[in-house]
Amino acid sequence: MEGDGSDSLVTIKNIERELICPACKELFTHPLILPCQHSICHKCVKELLLMLDDSFNDVGSDNSNQSSPRIRLPCPSMDKIDRISRPGWKRNSLTPRTTTFPCPGCEHDVDLGERGINGLFRNFTLETIVERYRQAARAATAIMCDLCKPPPQESTKSCMDCSASYCNECFKIYHPWGTVKAQHEYVGPTTNFRPKILMCPEHETERINMYCELCRRPVCHLCKLGGNHSNHRVTTMSSAYKTLKEKLSKDIDYLIGKESQVKSQISELNLLMKETECNGERAKEEAVTHFEKLFEILEERKSSVLKAIDTSKKLRLDKFQTQMEEYQGLLENNGLVGYAQEVLKETDQSCFVQTAKQLHLRIQKATESLKSFRPAAQTSFEDYVVNTSKQTELLGELSFFSSGIDVPEINEEQSKIYNNALINWYHPGKDKADSYVLEYRKINRDEEMLSWNEIEVFGTSKIISDLESNCNYAFRVRAYKGSICSPCSRELILHTPPAPVFSFLFDEKCGYNNEHLLLNLKRDRVESRAGFNLLLAAERIQVGYYTSLDYIIGDVGITKGKHFWAFRVEPYSYLVKVGVASSDKLQEWLRSPRDAVSPRYEQDSGHDSGSEDTCFDSSQPFTLVTIGMKKFFIPKSPTSNEPENRVLPMPTSIGVFLDYDKGKVGFYDMDHMTCLYERQVDCSHTMYPAFALMGSGGIQLEEPITAKYLEYQESM
């Protein structure tokens, strides 16, 4: 018996890695089975759902970046955990409940359905194995009998019905033969007395008693009678137990029978590892040899180019020196002038004429050179500038040769950056790659390149989180098929927003005019019913009558920090104003509506055509810019510094950056993440995202990048 216990202890210790939760990296606690068949702790599922839900609904937090599910999760408050555990729990009636998250085991998105956690089965088998492991780990500390008089004896049995441990004598006393207690279920000594009853997630009062062969999951009789499994083929639990146990036993017997084969393959893997080590070193030596050859060619070309430059430089300097000596001779008492003065002293006429003729021609030639001075050589070495652009591009693409794998291409139109970065790519080749490696790195302001971060991806898209604000990031991807790797794709440069993304929805309660504005159920899109009431009141309209702006604001305010949000204005929009406004200004706008006012009446920081002749206040409690007719209007400045072009094409997506502490607001073109306009704003009160529409128009809030953009590939 002692030998059996020792062997069992060794076996239990050998499977420790199978008992670790992939989320918290600790032993499983109340494990649940996910739809992808991986297990995860009950508390880890709750924490993951809370984190994902907070990423969509908690706003105004400076700490907007979410941790990876593989990192130890922070412990949420018990009231939040209890709230998310209740069936039908939602933050509000219009915000959908978060029911999908990436499984830490397979990194695929899994859908928990409408019931969420309540629709998951407890993994009692895994829970029992973990408990046995814990018991084996603390075998040195015996479990004592709960009923013995002091001193207690070591227990030998634990009753699951009584939730107590007994020594042999006490068990006989409290479970006498022939009584009801004698029928109690007992196991070896344990401290885990949780009832092992598998209840149906759909029908909480019904026990599991059948097995659906189509869905491959346990069900109750109500599921078969009128539930989701009414038309499915089911079998009895005993039959499923027998069948699956036989299959699992055969699998185990097969593995045990192949133990010698596994050992030989382990030995082969060790040899392959050593061979890989040697081949890797040899490949490095070959790569170094190739680069040294390139260095030799570059050194040779460098020496040749420098020699040619030196030769040309010497030739030009010699020409300049000769020309300079000639001009030195033109000076008085030097050279030609002095010689001519000596010739003039000649009194013999024949001798003078003989010499003076030649001298006259020389002086005449020198005089002409003075009239049109031309350097004897060029000072520029433009002809000797080395053009390395083509070679630089080739060296930048220098990579290992790959046969049969095309280079993947990043889809720039489908790739975007907002609260996270979503990178999509496609593989132009016929043969699909086994996997991809997405690389990204930050580019500093001085264009310094940091090291690449690598992520292995089994699909054609990936979400990158934890990126720093207001930074440029480069992305590239390469494909793998077996041991062959393709070259990297062209790099895609994206610029992150200048601040963490601020999440909010349109407020349907504060000042919302449902007669003029139409809000969708998700509260992330608003449209203006163009001129509806104007048509109904057409007989009262006279010349000079103007319609008013219809305001709508965000449902969350800002009281500190830096925040950024984005939206799209529909191209057909006639007049839309967007920006920020303080709570006191909004009360004035929304509580005192004017049925007929001129657009020139409302001064909005000097942003529309009608306010440019009004008094400008440099510190107003609001800032709105005008967008309409596919144009973005830069407001007129109160100073003399006017922008070159005040009317710009309307960007596809517009971003707003509010620095509450510094009292600044900026408007961005999201396609290039460039600031179109910035000014001061009075932030003494709570600031809200503000929007106003007149005539036909529509505004769509930019949706945060979530895991639903990723392709879900079911593990086989």
Side-chain angles (χ1 to χ4, degrees):
M1 292 297 292
E2 292 181 359
D4 295 341
S6 177
D7 293 342
S8 175
L9 180 61
V10 173
T11 303
I12 287 292
K13 288 187 176 181
N14 288 340
I15 65 172
E16 179 178 358
R17 64 180 182 179
E18 302 292 334
L19 311 180
I20 300 297
C21 173
C24 62
K25 303 300 182 183
E26 297 178 358
L27 289 175
F28 282 106
T29 304
H30 304 164
L32 301 178
I33 302 178
L34 298 175
C36 59
Q37 299 305 307
H38 290 95
S39 295
I40 185 173
C41 293
H42 189 204
K43 58 181 176 59
C44 292
V45 179
K46 292 180 179 179
E47 292 168 355
L48 279 169
L49 285 175
L50 283 172
M51 290 174 60
L52 290 173
D53 180 74
D54 289 343
S55 68
F56 299 120
N57 297 285
D58 288 352
V59 294
S61 174
D62 291 334
N63 185 20
S64 61
N65 293 330
Q66 300 297 329
S67 302
S68 168
R70 290 185 172 275
I71 300 175
R72 177 65 181 140
L73 304 171
C75 184
S77 60
M78 290 306 297
D79 60 333
K80 294 186 76 176
I81 289 182
D82 292 340
R83 190 169 70 251
I84 198 173
S85 299
R86 292 196 294 268
W89 170 84
K90 294 184 179 180
R91 292 184 66 92
N92 56 57
S93 60
L94 296 177
T95 303
R97 173 181 160 196
T98 303
T99 59
T100 61
F101 68 96
C103 169
C106 60
E107 298 184 355
H108 286 152
D109 288 351
V110 292
D111 190 354
L112 303 184
E114 296 182 356
R115 293 182 56 80
I117 300 177
N118 297 304
L120 300 179
F121 284 111
R122 280 178 63 181
N123 195 337
F124 282 108
T125 302
L126 178 58
E127 194 171 333
T128 303
I129 296 174
V130 170
E131 182 61 28
R132 285 207 300 265
Y133 175 83
R134 286 196 173 100
Q135 294 293 342
R138 57 174 181 259
T141 305
I143 298 176
M144 308 308 292
C145 177
D146 295 326
L147 281 302
C148 274
K149 295 181 180 180
Q153 301 295 318
E154 184 176 341
S155 64
T156 57
K157 298 180 181 66
S158 291
C159 179
M160 302 303 293
D161 296 287
C162 300
S163 299
S165 297
Y166 302 87
C167 63
N168 284 332
E169 295 300 325
C170 290
F171 187 80
K172 294 177 181 178
I173 295 173
Y174 290 95
H175 295 76
W177 183 260
T179 63
V180 176
K181 287 189 174 183
Q183 307 299 321
H184 284 185
E185 178 185 1
Y186 63 90
V187 295
T190 183
T191 57
N192 181 17
F193 297 104
R194 287 185 295 274
K196 189 176 179 181
I197 302 175
L198 200 59
M199 307 302 291
C200 178
E202 299 294 330
H203 310 92
E204 299 178 357
T205 59
E206 300 296 328
R207 297 184 62 172
I208 293 298
N209 55 5
M210 288 182 286
Y211 183 80
C212 178
E213 296 182 348
L214 179 62
C215 301
R216 297 184 178 180
R217 59 170 293 174
V219 295
C220 71
H221 70 283
L222 292 181
C223 292
K224 175 59 179 174
L225 290 177
N228 297 329
H229 306 268
S230 57
N231 297 324
H232 297 179
R233 180 180 177 182
V234 299
T235 184
T236 62
M237 190 59 68
S238 59
S239 177
Y241 169 80
K242 181 179 179 181
T243 302
L244 291 176
K245 189 169 185 179
E246 289 178 356
K247 289 182 179 179
L248 186 58
S249 299
K250 289 181 180 179
D251 293 339
I252 295 174
D253 293 339
Y254 176 81
L255 291 177
I256 294 175
K258 297 292 183 179
E259 184 174 357
S260 59
Q261 181 180 347
V262 172
K263 290 181 178 179
S264 65
Q265 290 176 351
I266 291 175
S267 301
E268 183 179 353
L269 288 173
N270 287 326
L271 294 176
L272 291 175
M273 290 175 63
K274 294 179 180 179
E275 184 178 351
T276 302
E277 185 74 24
C278 296
N279 290 340
E281 293 299 322
R282 189 180 299 111
K284 287 172 60 177
E285 293 175 0
E286 292 177 356
V288 170
T289 302
H290 287 298
F291 277 101
E292 287 178 349
K293 289 181 180 179
L294 291 177
F295 295 153
E296 291 176 2
I297 295 174
L298 289 174
E299 287 293 336
E300 181 183 352
R301 297 302 302 158
K302 174 184 174 183
S303 176
S304 176
V305 169
L306 295 180
K307 184 177 180 181
I309 294 175
D310 287 337
T311 302
S312 179
K313 181 180 70 172
K314 185 177 183 303
L315 180 61
R316 297 183 189 191
L317 290 175
D318 290 343
K319 289 182 179 180
F320 281 127
Q321 184 64 34
T322 301
Q323 188 178 21
M324 188 174 63
E325 291 176 356
E326 291 178 357
Y327 276 83
Q328 287 284 353
L330 300 180
L331 299 176
E332 186 179 359
N333 300 324
N334 287 309
L336 185 60
V337 175
Y339 177 61
Q341 290 174 343
E342 293 297 325
V343 170
L344 289 174
K345 296 177 182 179
E346 177 64 49
T347 57
D348 185 277
Q349 294 181 355
S350 59
C351 292
F352 176 80
V353 171
Q354 181 185 15
T355 306
K357 181 63 176 177
Q358 179 71 22
L359 185 58
H360 171 68
L361 293 175
R362 291 181 61 192
I363 292 177
Q364 188 177 16
K365 184 178 180 181
T367 304
E368 292 176 356
S369 68
L370 289 175
K371 294 179 181 178
S372 58
F373 174 73
R374 293 181 180 178
Q378 293 183 354
T379 60
S380 173
F381 281 78
E382 293 180 354
D383 296 339
Y384 289 87
V385 175
V386 180
N387 183 8
T388 61
S389 58
K390 184 177 180 180
Q391 289 76 11
T392 302
E393 183 178 356
L394 290 174
L395 288 175
E397 297 177 355
L398 188 65
S399 61
F400 296 109
F401 174 76
S402 63
S403 59
I405 298 187
D406 294 304
V407 182
E409 292 295 333
I410 295 180
N411 191 325
E412 297 186 14
E413 295 182 356
Q414 296 184 6
S415 298
K416 57 182 291 190
I417 198 163
Y418 191 38
N419 60 321
N420 293 320
L422 169 65
I423 308 300
N424 277 281
W425 60 89
Y426 61 94
H427 204 172
K430 295 181 180 179
D431 296 331
K432 294 289 185 179
D434 296 335
S435 63
Y436 300 87
V437 170
L438 176 63
E439 299 180 335
Y440 68 97
R441 65 181 176 185
K442 186 176 74 170
I443 305 175
N444 288 345
R445 294 181 178 178
D446 54 358
E447 299 301 319
E448 178 186 358
M449 296 291 189
L450 303 178
S451 59
W452 290 97
N453 298 294
E454 296 185 355
I455 301 178
E456 186 178 11
V457 185
F458 294 96
T460 55
S461 63
K462 184 64 179 179
I463 290 178
I464 307 296
S465 58
D466 299 328
L467 300 180
E468 296 182 20
S469 300
N470 199 24
C471 292
N472 281 317
Y473 280 87
F475 301 86
R476 67 184 188 186
V477 65
R478 62 178 186 269
Y480 279 87
K481 188 173 184 180
S483 59
I484 302 176
C485 172
S486 75
C488 290
S489 66
R490 290 182 177 272
E491 294 183 14
L492 173 64
I493 307 296
L494 295 177
H495 193 284
T496 57
V501 169
F502 180 64
S503 298
F504 66 92
L505 298 172
F506 288 119
D507 195 339
E508 83 280 20
K509 298 178 181 178
C510 181
Y512 170 63
N513 189 339
N514 57 9
E515 294 182 359
H516 296 176
L517 301 179
L518 179 62
L519 192 62
N520 67 345
L521 292 177
K522 293 176 64 178
R523 294 194 291 125
D524 62 352
R525 179 182 177 85
V526 63
E527 294 184 32
S528 174
R529 300 181 178 182
F532 230 48
N533 293 337
L534 193 64
L535 292 174
L536 296 176
E539 66 274 11
R540 300 197 307 270
I541 297 178
Q542 304 297 327
V543 177
Y545 188 94
Y546 295 91
T547 58
S548 63
L549 290 169
D550 293 305
Y551 287 93
I552 188 169
I553 64 173
D555 59 354
V556 181
I558 298 173
T559 57
K560 64 178 180 178
K562 299 178 180 179
H563 305 277
F564 184 87
W565 61 91
F567 52 88
R568 299 188 301 275
V569 175
E570 295 297 341
Y572 62 80
S573 300
Y574 173 70
L575 192 154
V576 173
K577 290 181 180 291
V578 296
V580 295
S582 65
S583 54
D584 59 338
K585 189 63 180 178
L586 289 170
Q587 291 177 5
E588 176 185 342
W589 287 345
L590 302 177
R591 293 185 181 180
S592 302
R594 288 172 292 274
D595 295 331
V597 296
S598 167
R600 300 169 62 90
Y601 177 86
E602 183 58 54
Q603 176 195 346
D604 62 347
S605 303
H607 300 116
D608 62 1
S609 60
S611 65
E612 293 168 3
D613 54 0
T614 60
C615 177
F616 187 94
D617 182 8
S618 62
S619 181
Q620 298 183 82
F622 66 103
T623 294
L624 301 173
V625 296
T626 302
I627 302 165
M629 303 179 70
K630 300 183 180 179
K631 301 295 181 183
F632 182 97
F633 299 90
I634 301 294
K636 185 175 181 180
S637 174
T639 64
S640 59
N641 298 326
E642 290 289 338
E644 295 181 2
N645 187 5
R646 292 187 55 225
V647 181
L648 303 176
M650 183 176 70
T652 306
S653 184
I654 301 168
V656 178
F657 168 45
L658 176 63
D659 189 341
Y660 186 95
D661 301 328
K662 293 184 178 180
K664 284 187 178 181
V665 61
F667 298 84
Y668 281 71
D669 179 356
M670 285 288 290
D671 291 338
H672 308 94
M673 203 61 72
T674 55
C675 184
L676 303 176
Y677 173 66
E678 184 181 51
R679 74 172 298 262
Q680 292 292 127
V681 63
D682 182 10
C683 293
S684 57
H685 294 79
T686 302
M687 304 299 291
Y688 289 84
F691 307 83
L693 299 92
M694 186 174 74
S696 178
I699 301 174
Q700 173 71 55
L701 297 181
E702 196 72 55
E703 187 177 16
I705 298 173
T706 64
K708 76 176 186 178
Y709 284 93
L710 296 179
E711 296 180 0
Y712 177 78
Q713 297 179 352
E714 185 176 0
S715 60
M716 300 301 294

